[in-house]
Amino acid sequence: MTTENKHEGSTHHLREYGAQTPGTKGIPGKKRYSMVIDLRKCIGCMSCVVACKAEYGVPLGVWRTWVMVADKGRYPDSRRIFMPRLCNHCDYPICVRNCPTQATFKHEEGFVLQRYNRCIGCRTCVVACPYNARHFLPAKRTNNNLPKLVVDKCTFCIHRVKKGLVPACVQACVGGARVFGDINNPKSEVAKLVAKERVSVLKPELGTSPSVYYIGGDWEIMDETHNYKNRSAQQKAEFNTFKRNHHGDAFGDIVEGENTMHHVGKNMSDFLASIQHKYHDVVAALKQLLFG
Amino acid sequence: METIITYNAVHHNPWGTPITIYFWLVGASAGSFVLSAFGWVFGIKRYKPLALTASILAIAMLMIVPVLLIWDLGKPFRFIYLMLPGFWHGTAPMAWGSLLILSYPISMFVYTYFVIKNDQKWAKIIGIIAIVLALSTHWYTGVVMELNPGRYINHTPLAPLLFLTGAFISGIGLMILVLWIQNQFMREEKKIKWALMEEMGQYMMYGIVFDCFLLFLDFMQTQYGTASENIGHHTVLMEIFFTPYVWLEAVIGLIIPLLILVSPLKRTRLGVYSASLLVAGGVYGMRIWWVMGGLYMQSFY
Ligand code: SF4
Ligand code: SF4
């Protein structure tokens, strides 16, 4: 599969309702920015994660991009595999379709973007995204001018791309695993790689038509169910510690192996506590509305 | 060959307890409203005496909903965007829901006004509109999570039916309890007759049977379905959400009340009142596993 041209036997039906911009993959005369991640070259150094955190001041505990790690096989026939993750900038994004205020939208060149001034923080898009590519920004941020209590996500570094640069994660990738470009341009490196190599995408069955392609993807790390069933004990413990100690903003986190109803209650008290900082926000918004 | 995931970023469940309570309240409100409409809309005269209490109960429960929903938003003040042209997004289930949550209480207020005025014609006309809105509002709570193909536990067309049936039985259960309390303060001739409550108990029993059937259908789907559906059932619902799924919903909310309502206990006050209490509380279990359980598995991906 090189590019999908819906005029020529595309595998995708038109799922453009609510996407605001029609799918542009394979449409002549249109750009479609995409990323190819060559997992054979990824060494799991996490430079991309650090570059992204630095580029946007991404708060603790949330990620625009991250790298999954898995151990495959048994010693001595074993190896460690990695899989960088980020928003797939889907051609048919469920997050955009389901956002009630058009706060998230699709740019005609394929970027799926977020308008902080429109976002009401309902987190419907987080529920909709099958890839965990979205996160909710906390109430406290180191730089007070950065957005808070709204949803954020990877932007494919549109501000850099528009200046002719590649995204920060691509720039920082030491192994040269991340490749970025316009897949509709047959001369671009991404188009050539997708044409030549065996590529796969995450959860293709959901009809999102992702624009992040993996070369050398391992089905076990790519499959959500397998992932869930085969977590290491250490990873389980890390998740539990994180969820147990997380407060605020009404996240429905349940800790495995602990009393569910206790966490339902804790979640409610966190919600009540979160009203306090939201209240200040409401007062500020009202003041601005009334007195300018 | 085995692959063990050794590191991944941690992700949150985006929705939590406030949403579960909201789903429960909207359901119980819709259920009570259906009872209110029995007399004035469907013409079953013996239900007329409880119509006013039922619609006031439905309105009261729905008044709590905006408080929960608006303060659950990151930017509560911006809830107004949900209704502004230029912001409103027609393909988003939540955009439909915000219109329903706004129009349903208004229609109930108008209906209640005509019930108080004893105006049969208008109470019936507005009642029909209100009942469609009541059912739609609750249908929406089902689809708002169903229409996310990546959420395997929620992505079932049974969702709205599960919600509506839960609404019907929890609404009746709550109504019976409220009428029992109301009777304590009423003069003898104004009291709601026991025979009527007994009959409502029987309606509740039919609802429970249908709810059990729906759960069975869902169970079969998970047994013969995809790996995700199967794991979702076996490890998420049957292990992590065992308390709300099995104890609260199935045992407390369905099995025990069903046993009461098919046994001679159905003729006793203790039987009907306790079944009502169990059903009203048990339905909340479904709201928990539906919201938090539905979102649980993906937070590890
Ligand atoms: S990966 Fe998620 S956030 Fe990104 S476009 Fe697709 S659905 Fe939206
Ligand atoms: S959180 Fe913001 S971007 Fe996401 S669905 Fe709600 S309004 Fe849209």
Side-chain angles (χ1 to χ4, degrees):
Chain A
M1 178 178 69
T2 47
T3 51
E4 296 143 356
N5 186 337
K6 66 187 171 200
H7 304 301
E8 293 170 12
S10 158
T11 48
H12 292 283
H13 299 289
L14 291 179
R15 300 249 284 180
E16 276 155 9
Y17 43 89
Q20 292 157 341
T21 312
T24 48
K25 241 184 235 178
I27 305 291
K30 301 262 186 199
K31 283 189 175 175
R32 210 322 162 184
Y33 284 106
S34 302
M35 189 180 288
V36 174
I37 305 180
D38 190 342
L39 297 173
R40 299 168 303 188
K41 293 182 176 175
C42 178
I43 58 165
C45 66
M46 315 259 169
S47 298
C48 50
V49 183
V50 176
C52 178
K53 284 263 180 189
E55 185 78 17
Y56 297 96
V58 180
L60 277 178
V62 290
W63 287 265
R64 286 179 174 221
T65 186
W66 68 100
V67 180
M68 291 171 68
V69 183
D71 287 347
K72 200 172 169 64
R74 273 181 202 217
Y75 182 82
D77 303 315
S78 63
R79 67 171 295 182
R80 178 158 282 191
I81 53 176
F82 308 99
M83 189 173 71
R85 293 274 304 274
L86 70 157
C87 166
N88 285 288
H89 294 269
C90 309
D91 234 18
Y92 305 103
I94 310 171
C95 59
V96 173
R97 196 193 298 152
N98 284 12
C99 168
T101 60
Q102 306 179 39
T104 181
F105 72 104
K106 189 145 103 8
H107 187 280
E108 58 175 4
E109 292 174 358
F111 306 90
V112 174
L113 302 171
Q114 188 72 10
R115 291 185 271 203
Y116 304 122
N117 56 345
R118 266 179 180 251
C119 178
I120 61 173
C122 65
R123 316 185 292 288
T124 306
C125 53
V126 187
V127 177
C129 173
Y131 306 104
N132 286 331
R134 298 178 155 264
H135 57 263
F136 191 57
L137 291 171
K140 287 200 184 104
R141 300 205 55 181
T142 357
N143 178 347
N144 219 24
N145 295 320
L146 291 173
K148 298 174 201 119
L149 297 169
V150 287
V151 164
D152 206 0
K153 69 181 287 298
C154 155
T155 55
F156 254 2
C157 281
I158 186 171
H159 64 297
R160 292 172 58 95
V161 175
K162 286 288 166 192
K163 289 184 182 139
L165 302 169
V166 289
C169 57
V170 178
Q171 178 104 46
C173 180
V174 290
R178 293 196 187 220
V179 184
F180 185 80
D182 172 16
I183 203 168
N184 284 357
N185 173 5
K187 293 200 178 74
S188 71
E189 205 183 337
V190 280
K192 285 182 190 160
L193 281 171
V194 170
K196 198 174 74 186
E197 303 286 349
R198 286 168 186 250
V199 291
S200 45
V201 293
L202 296 179
K203 299 186 182 176
E205 70 282 5
L206 298 183
T208 48
S209 187
S211 299
V212 174
Y213 298 85
Y214 293 93
I215 299 176
D218 185 292
W219 83 267
E220 289 182 321
I221 195 171
M222 295 178 101
D223 180 58
E224 178 179 327
T225 312
H226 183 277
N227 241 283
Y228 177 73
K229 274 193 334 195
N230 296 283
R231 286 165 288 147
S232 68
Q234 180 201 345
Q235 205 214 352
K236 279 187 190 171
E238 251 173 45
F239 265 69
N240 281 352
T241 312
F242 183 78
K243 297 203 170 200
R244 194 181 303 117
N245 295 317
H246 184 268
H247 292 280
D249 304 321
F251 292 114
D253 292 330
I254 300 290
V255 178
E256 202 170 345
E258 290 181 13
N259 185 338
T260 316
M261 300 313 285
H262 164 79
H263 287 283
V264 170
K266 170 179 171 284
N267 188 222
M268 190 61 191
S269 65
D270 285 348
F271 161 68
L272 294 173
S274 79
I275 291 180
Q276 198 191 350
H277 55 242
K278 288 177 186 167
Y279 167 78
H280 293 303
D281 219 64
V282 170
V283 172
L286 261 176
K287 270 191 192 153
Q288 202 184 351
L289 187 76
L290 296 175
F291 310 113
Chain B
M1 186 71 74
E2 58 195 46
T3 303
I4 303 293
I5 309 296
T6 44
Y7 173 77
N8 197 358
V10 273
H11 303 284
H12 291 294
N13 279 359
W15 288 345
T17 310
I19 305 295
T20 61
I21 299 177
Y22 146 62
F23 281 179
W24 184 85
L25 283 170
V26 173
S29 166
S32 323
F33 192 74
V34 169
L35 283 179
S36 171
F38 269 15
W40 289 86
V41 177
F42 300 116
I44 313 172
K45 291 228 166 42
R46 60 185 182 282
Y47 278 86
K48 273 198 170 176
L50 59 80
L52 193 58
T53 312
S55 60
I56 290 174
L57 179 68
I59 292 174
M61 279 188 288
L62 215 67
M63 291 293 98
I64 311 171
V65 165
V67 182
L68 283 173
L69 286 190
I70 290 176
W71 286 104
D72 190 56
L73 297 177
K75 299 278 180 191
F77 194 64
R78 295 185 186 171
F79 79 94
I80 197 79
Y81 291 0
L82 287 164
M83 286 143 216
L84 290 186
F87 284 80
W88 197 76
H89 193 202
T91 53
M94 186 168 284
W96 317 332
S98 49
L99 291 191
L100 289 168
I101 293 170
L102 183 76
S103 53
Y104 168 43
I106 295 175
S107 67
M108 278 202 303
F109 271 120
V110 181
Y111 162 84
T112 312
Y113 169 78
F114 287 118
V115 168
I116 294 170
K117 286 259 154 209
N118 208 1
D119 185 334
Q120 172 63 47
K121 182 179 157 220
W122 280 103
K124 181 165 181 174
I125 295 171
I126 305 293
I128 292 173
I129 298 173
I131 204 149
V132 171
L133 288 173
L135 297 180
S136 307
T137 307
H138 206 54
W139 159 82
Y140 146 76
T141 57
V143 299
V144 73
M145 292 189 70
E146 174 206 334
L147 299 183
N148 297 299
R151 303 289 178 173
Y152 304 105
I153 291 178
N154 309 121
H155 188 54
T156 158
L158 287 183
L161 274 181
L162 273 168
F163 269 84
L164 283 166
T165 316
F168 181 66
I169 57 176
S170 63
I172 296 181
L174 209 65
M175 198 58 222
I176 291 177
L177 295 174
V178 168
L179 291 177
W180 170 55
I181 296 170
Q182 183 185 293
N183 274 355
Q184 312 300 315
F185 301 97
M186 290 288 175
R187 283 194 311 253
E188 200 52 45
E189 67 274 15
K190 290 244 170 184
K191 282 188 176 164
I192 302 291
K193 305 270 174 309
W194 164 245
L196 197 62
M197 302 228 244
E198 213 181 311
E199 186 180 321
M200 283 159 64
Q202 286 305 292
Y203 285 138
M204 192 159 72
M205 189 264 289
Y206 297 135
I208 293 174
V209 172
F210 189 60
D211 209 7
C212 291
F213 175 59
L214 291 177
L215 277 178
F216 170 71
L217 292 183
D218 202 40
F219 170 75
M220 290 304 280
Q221 173 81 5
T222 61
Q223 298 313 297
Y224 287 77
T226 62
S228 318
E229 287 167 347
N230 196 258
I231 295 297
H233 183 268
H234 282 303
T235 60
V236 178
L237 299 188
M238 290 303 284
E239 285 174 17
I240 292 132
F241 287 84
F242 192 81
T243 312
Y245 183 61
V246 176
W247 284 117
L248 207 50
E249 183 183 20
V251 177
I252 296 181
L254 297 173
I255 297 171
I256 301 178
L258 183 65
L259 292 177
I260 294 176
L261 293 172
V262 294
S263 71
L265 279 171
K266 70 182 178 192
R267 307 218 180 282
T268 65
R269 285 165 203 249
L270 179 69
V272 172
Y273 294 148
S274 50
S276 303
L277 184 67
L278 293 173
V279 168
V283 166
Y284 181 61
M286 184 261 169
R287 275 41 175 172
I288 295 175
W289 70 254
W290 181 263
V291 177
M292 295 176 164
L295 300 173
Y296 185 79
M297 196 162 97
Q298 194 190 294
S299 67
F300 296 88
Y301 181 56

